Amino acid sequence: MASSTDHPRVITCKAAVAWGAGEALVMEEVQVSPPQPMEIRIKVVCTSLCRSDITAWQSQANATMFPRIFGHEAAGIVESVGQGVSEFEEGDHVLTLFTGECMKCKQCTSGKSNICQVLGLERRGVMHSDQGTRFSVKGRPIYHYCAVSSFSEYTVVHSGCAVKVSSIAPLEKICLLSCGVAAGLGAAWKVADIARGSTVVIFGLGTVGLAVAQGAKLRGASQIIGVDTNPEKSEKARVFGITDFINPNDCDEPIQQVVKRITDGGADYSFECIGDTGMITAALQSCCDGWGLTVTLGVPNVKPEITAHYATFLTGRTLRGSLLGGWKPKSDLPSLVDMYLREEIQIDEFITHNLSFEEINKAFDLMKEGKCLRCVIHMPK
């Protein structure tokens, strides 16, 4: 099925296509174009389902952006390279990147940001280079997701939206580092820079929230409070460092009051990992006066606007956003892979289900029902 790197041709393969918002994915025979200049074509080995895939799939805001192939948290092997690509060759093991790094723009060279001006988050369902698609079914173009679209046996990405990793790292594990686990660790380490002995509260104990907890634990935080309405997450959360679990449904007072009471006036750091802008106010109010820092990581499904009383900030609190944990993806993610290989960070414990590609709709159901952390989807060999 694969073709020569020198003269790559169209590949026909299977992909899970969403034909409409919220509709079950359909396994289709799709055509995948050869990589264009500065692009690579990847044989996807494993891809995991991220909450943001669910959010985008359910959203009616982009109802015209269908048919579409979702998926962005993936690992694979380079099948062919386009003209001008020098950093990759056939057979390289790679992670896909939902936000790229050109290494040349103002943002990339600033040392202050990971928001690339050229290869940043793609929201229109096309490729960065020519605003076109690389997928089609029966001659009909298929929209991309985050310029990755990993729910396909083969995909095409810009060379700046992939990073080469060690060939000895298990792709079925490290795929989680292309988004969720890396996002949580980076929020704790790079964005918040958690100090030893500090107090932390995390709203939402999915993969991202638990990765924040792991990062806080490794930094030596003295108290790590997890907030979630699912009581089944309490025991699992302690594996990642949660010291106190709070279910808001069991509280007779606002959750921020509970947090302030058990932290002697408020936590040093709070993290909003749900994607609920209403919870950002609670997270802010859970922080202490003077230096309390709130980091928001979740992708909101509704009501993207944030409201907060000015006094919240006048008393010294800070609100920061975090995309991929502040990591420069091509520059930084290989070091996380190396940390995993040295057993310095946990990844395996996030994987609650391993499913075949044909079972992808089951993965969607498990995440919608809150019955999984990460479902790793294995492509046919």
Side-chain angles (χ1 to χ4, degrees):
M1 188 178 292
S3 55
S4 165
T5 299
D6 294 331
H7 301 285
R9 299 179 181 179
V10 172
I11 283 178
T12 298
C13 69
K14 288 186 177 181
V17 178
W19 288 93
E23 295 181 12
L25 308 187
V26 179
M27 206 62 67
E28 302 278 10
E29 293 285 331
V30 302
Q31 287 69 53
V32 186
S33 299
Q36 299 303 303
M38 299 309 296
E39 295 176 354
I40 61 175
R41 189 160 58 189
I42 299 170
K43 176 178 173 56
V44 179
V45 174
C46 289
T47 180
S48 47
L49 180 59
C50 177
R51 173 62 64 178
S52 58
D53 291 304
I54 298 282
T55 300
W57 166 69
Q58 292 177 325
S59 175
Q60 295 292 332
N62 297 312
T64 60
M65 207 177 293
F66 289 91
R68 197 172 193 186
I69 297 174
F70 288 97
H72 64 282
E73 193 173 84
I77 300 171
V78 175
E79 176 270 337
S80 56
V81 303
Q83 181 181 356
V85 175
S86 58
E87 63 177 307
F88 297 105
E89 59 184 26
E90 183 178 342
D92 284 345
H93 287 207
V94 295
L95 293 178
T96 58
L97 305 172
F98 71 87
T99 181
E101 183 182 356
C102 74
M103 299 186 175
K104 297 179 180 178
C105 72
K106 177 182 178 181
Q107 294 282 334
C108 284
T109 58
S110 69
K112 302 176 182 179
S113 169
N114 67 343
I115 312 296
C116 179
Q117 292 173 300
V118 179
L119 300 173
L121 194 60
E122 210 297 309
R123 301 177 184 273
R124 291 173 289 184
V126 293
M127 296 293 288
H128 288 96
S129 55
D130 62 0
Q131 306 301 295
T133 70
R134 301 293 179 264
F135 296 102
S136 63
V137 57
K138 298 177 182 178
R140 181 175 178 178
I142 304 174
Y143 286 100
H144 295 241
Y145 179 63
C146 290
V148 173
S149 295
S150 58
F151 294 162
S152 173
E153 292 180 302
Y154 288 84
T155 191
V156 176
V157 304
H158 192 283
S159 60
C161 293
V163 58
K164 183 178 177 179
V165 295
S166 170
S167 61
I168 66 171
L171 297 177
E172 71 276 11
K173 308 291 188 183
I174 65 168
C175 59
L176 273 63
L177 287 174
S178 69
C179 182
V181 174
L185 289 173
W189 293 344
K190 289 184 68 68
V191 179
D193 193 17
I194 291 175
R196 178 170 295 277
S198 56
T199 54
V200 176
V201 58
I202 302 166
F203 291 82
L205 298 180
T207 295
V208 174
L210 293 176
V212 172
Q214 180 181 180
K217 177 183 177 181
L218 292 172
R219 278 291 181 91
S222 62
Q223 186 178 25
I224 307 172
I225 303 164
V227 179
D228 203 292
T229 57
N230 185 349
E232 295 180 3
K233 292 184 177 181
S234 175
E235 184 175 349
K236 182 78 172 180
R238 297 186 186 280
V239 174
F240 296 95
I242 295 294
T243 60
D244 303 80
F245 179 84
I246 303 174
N247 185 338
N249 294 333
D250 297 335
C251 300
D252 296 328
E253 57 185 327
I255 191 65
Q256 51 267 44
Q257 294 301 321
V258 177
V259 173
K260 292 183 77 171
R261 176 163 42 79
I262 66 176
T263 56
D264 188 25
D268 298 304
Y269 308 94
S270 68
F271 296 83
E272 191 284 316
C273 305
I274 302 172
D276 180 350
T277 51
M279 289 304 299
I280 292 178
T281 298
L284 276 165
Q285 293 177 353
S286 296
C287 276
C288 64
D289 289 339
W291 61 81
L293 171 63
T294 296
V295 179
T296 179
L297 298 86
V299 179
N301 195 9
V302 294
K303 192 182 178 296
E305 297 82 10
I306 297 171
T307 58
H309 196 283
Y310 83 98
T312 302
F313 304 104
L314 193 64
T315 53
R317 296 181 181 89
T318 301
L319 175 64
R320 293 193 64 182
S322 175
L323 182 68
L324 193 61
W327 301 115
K328 286 182 174 292
K330 291 177 76 71
S331 302
D332 295 334
L333 292 195
S335 65
L336 292 182
V337 173
D338 292 340
M339 290 183 71
Y340 170 70
L341 292 175
R342 295 192 300 267
E343 300 183 353
E344 295 173 2
I345 58 173
Q346 298 168 269
I347 295 180
D348 300 33
E349 291 80 1
F350 290 98
I351 300 171
T352 54
H353 298 78
N354 284 280
L355 302 174
S356 69
F357 191 27
E358 298 288 340
E359 297 177 291
I360 191 166
N361 283 305
K362 179 180 178 180
F364 272 66
D365 291 340
L366 286 167
M367 182 159 281
K368 285 188 297 179
E369 295 165 5
K371 295 180 178 179
C372 69
L373 286 177
R374 276 296 189 265
C375 294
V376 174
I377 298 160
H378 299 254
M379 296 297 182
K381 294 183 178 179

